[in-house]
Amino acid sequence: MKLSQFKFKLPEEQVALYPPHRAFENEDGTVERIYNRDFCKLMVIHRKRQTIEMFKKDADGNDTNEPLVFRDIVNYFNEGDTFIFNDTKVFPARLYGTKEKTDAKIEVFLLRELNEEQRLWDVLVEPARKIRIGNKLFFEEDGPMVAEVIDNTTSRGRTLRFLYDCEHEEFKRELYGLGEAPLPRYLVDRRPAEPDDMENFQTIYARNEGAVTAPSTGLHFSRQLMKMMEIRGFNFAYLTLHCSLAAFDSIEVEDLTKHKMNSEQMMIPAECCQLVNDTKLSGHNVCAVGVSTMRACETAVGTDGLLKEFDGWTNKFIFPPYDFGLANSMVANFYHPESTMMMLTAAFGGFEIVDEAYKLALNNGYMFGCYGDALLIVDD
């Protein structure tokens, strides 16, 4: 397929700046928000029937005027079905420093730690043109956290050595204390990160640190919803794919077969494989929560259609047409135009019906992006 087939105009007002919430203005003019993760709108694609659901049904099975919300997802699955979640944990990867001598403000985006003992980190810097090898960056006025640029890796990439002499755990604690939630650029260009974002931009089941962006579809799952799912007899399987900025890399080629994604680290433990494979072999549904989970599954699924243990890296890029080998349903968000996330969604659901769903979402005020509304694709 061609890149231009995934192009559409996304109105700025349909990019969600916050998770679903109720807002209250205090007497002093400040705004307080009460967040409800699972209260976003939900659209459902039935890919075999080639139909789309947007509204709740009345007692006679007819559409009402009340939109489906994410909590309604429980009505599309049965006891014994399994949901696969990506349990990667986001760390506060974006911090701001000043360049020595000039005091120029520099954004530093932490990607990954390269060497624990030497305090070496792979980072992105902005504006990159001002940062050269040998420059020092200061992260607090008169504070102890200082970094030296020791290498250029890409046009915006640098290797930093943090000059901070202490135990590693203390260093990480101090470093993260300077950071903020690594919201996508399309959000921070519209509003600054806020303290609530570090909680909102994290799934409730996150446990393995290493992501610099959230597996955003998982953000819709609240503790109350997962308790409800547990009561209904749904199973939860967990794998880890450390979400990098790879999904946000712009595609520079019209022919999608020529696009190469950057690699991301992933791990699939034996207990995840056992639960997922038992579910599949027993004829129950397997639902992948989010495109990162689906990419991980498709990286590790065998020719027998069963999930295999995995510990390594993946650069798998999925776009239509593609034959999926494991999950028969998935949950996604509504993504930006020409994004790899939208392409994987279209590959799973079918390009035509997903394209129709996106048009309905645009025409009916659905919200896009990591804090936006959700799309469920089921195999009936």
Side-chain angles (χ1 to χ4, degrees):
M1 295 197 76
K2 305 299 183 184
L3 176 65
S4 55
Q5 292 176 268
F6 295 90
K7 187 175 183 177
F8 61 90
K9 185 177 181 180
L10 176 59
E12 189 170 322
E13 62 270 17
Q14 282 184 252
V15 177
L17 298 183
Y18 296 92
H21 65 277
R22 290 174 293 157
F24 304 92
E25 185 171 345
N26 298 317
E27 292 181 0
D28 61 2
T30 58
V31 175
E32 186 175 346
R33 297 179 183 87
I34 307 298
Y35 297 101
N36 298 100
R37 289 174 180 261
D38 53 19
F39 272 34
C40 70
K41 287 192 285 189
L42 176 70
M43 189 183 294
V44 182
I45 290 177
H46 300 267
R47 64 177 183 175
K48 286 182 179 175
R49 286 186 270 164
Q50 290 288 286
T51 59
I52 298 174
E53 270 187 274
M54 298 171 60
F55 301 100
K56 296 178 185 288
K57 305 288 187 184
D58 62 19
D60 297 321
N62 299 313
D63 282 349
T64 66
N65 293 322
E66 187 178 357
L68 290 167
V69 295
F70 194 75
R71 281 195 175 192
D72 294 320
I73 195 172
V74 297
N75 299 323
Y76 295 87
F77 294 91
N78 302 302
E79 183 179 355
D81 292 344
T82 293
F83 287 75
I84 313 175
F85 296 96
N86 181 5
D87 67 4
T88 188
K89 187 175 183 180
V90 176
F91 62 91
R94 180 177 282 114
L95 52 154
Y96 297 92
T98 55
K99 183 182 173 183
E100 64 175 339
K101 298 180 182 178
T102 66
D103 285 338
K105 186 177 181 181
I106 305 297
E107 177 186 304
V108 174
F109 194 96
L110 304 172
L111 296 177
R112 62 191 180 99
E113 190 171 34
L114 300 173
N115 185 293
E116 179 178 313
E117 184 178 343
Q118 298 183 43
R119 309 283 195 264
L120 297 184
W121 278 77
D122 185 18
V123 307
L124 299 176
V125 293
E126 191 71 39
R129 68 183 183 277
K130 295 185 177 182
I131 302 302
R132 300 176 181 175
I133 294 174
N135 289 158
K136 285 188 172 65
L137 298 174
F138 298 84
F139 293 93
E140 295 175 286
E141 187 174 349
D142 300 323
M145 190 68 72
V146 181
E148 180 182 9
V149 181
I150 65 169
D151 196 11
N152 296 330
T153 53
T154 64
S155 60
R156 293 176 55 221
R158 302 289 186 271
T159 301
L160 296 188
R161 176 188 288 120
F162 284 90
L163 309 175
Y164 196 92
D165 187 19
C166 64
E167 293 297 321
H168 184 257
E169 287 305 311
E170 180 187 342
F171 161 71
K172 288 280 288 287
R173 187 166 57 250
E174 293 296 323
L175 180 65
Y176 287 178
L178 298 171
E180 64 183 30
L183 299 179
R185 177 58 59 186
Y186 64 79
L187 285 185
V188 294
D189 284 346
R190 291 173 169 86
R191 68 163 178 88
E194 300 173 6
D196 285 344
D197 284 310
M198 204 57 235
E199 179 178 350
N200 290 335
F201 200 56
Q202 191 83 270
T203 64
I204 63 167
Y205 45 80
R207 58 187 173 189
N208 291 316
E209 181 184 282
V212 297
T213 189
S216 57
T217 303
L219 300 179
H220 301 302
F221 289 84
S222 66
R223 287 179 173 79
Q224 295 86 349
L225 174 58
M226 293 191 76
K227 189 63 180 178
M228 189 186 312
M229 296 167 69
E230 185 182 335
I231 291 170
R232 293 199 178 204
F234 303 162
N235 302 309
F236 304 147
Y238 297 94
L239 54 77
T240 305
L241 185 144
H242 291 316
C243 301
S244 71
L245 299 183
F248 296 102
D249 289 343
S250 59
I251 299 178
E252 307 292 346
V253 291
E254 176 69 1
D255 181 356
L256 297 181
T257 62
K258 293 181 168 55
H259 176 66
K260 304 299 180 185
M261 286 190 71
N262 289 319
S263 294
E264 295 173 310
Q265 189 177 16
M266 58 170 277
M267 292 77 73
I268 301 181
E271 55 267 29
C272 175
C273 297
Q274 185 71 52
L275 179 53
V276 170
N277 294 337
D278 286 350
T279 301
K280 188 168 183 179
L281 291 171
S282 65
H284 287 95
N285 294 306
V286 174
C287 180
V289 176
V291 295
S292 65
T293 301
M294 185 64 86
R295 285 182 61 233
C297 289
E298 289 304 307
T299 298
V301 67
T303 55
D304 57 0
L306 299 179
L307 192 61
K308 312 299 181 184
E309 291 181 60
F310 191 97
D311 187 352
W313 296 74
T314 181
N315 65 348
K316 196 169 190 66
F317 173 39
I318 298 175
F319 59 93
Y322 180 88
D323 292 327
F324 289 81
L326 187 74
N328 68 336
S329 55
M330 76 171 290
V331 195
N333 279 20
F334 287 98
Y335 303 107
H336 280 63
E338 300 183 324
S339 66
T340 60
M341 294 89 79
M342 179 188 178
M343 292 167 188
L344 186 150
T345 307
F348 186 79
F351 178 80
E352 289 77 14
I353 194 73
V354 169
D355 185 57
E356 182 182 346
Y358 268 66
K359 289 173 181 174
L360 285 170
L362 289 166
N363 292 333
N364 288 274
Y366 282 64
M367 302 302 288
F368 285 64
C370 62
Y371 283 153
D373 294 316
L375 177 66
L376 169 65
I377 304 173
V378 291
D379 195 34
D380 62 8

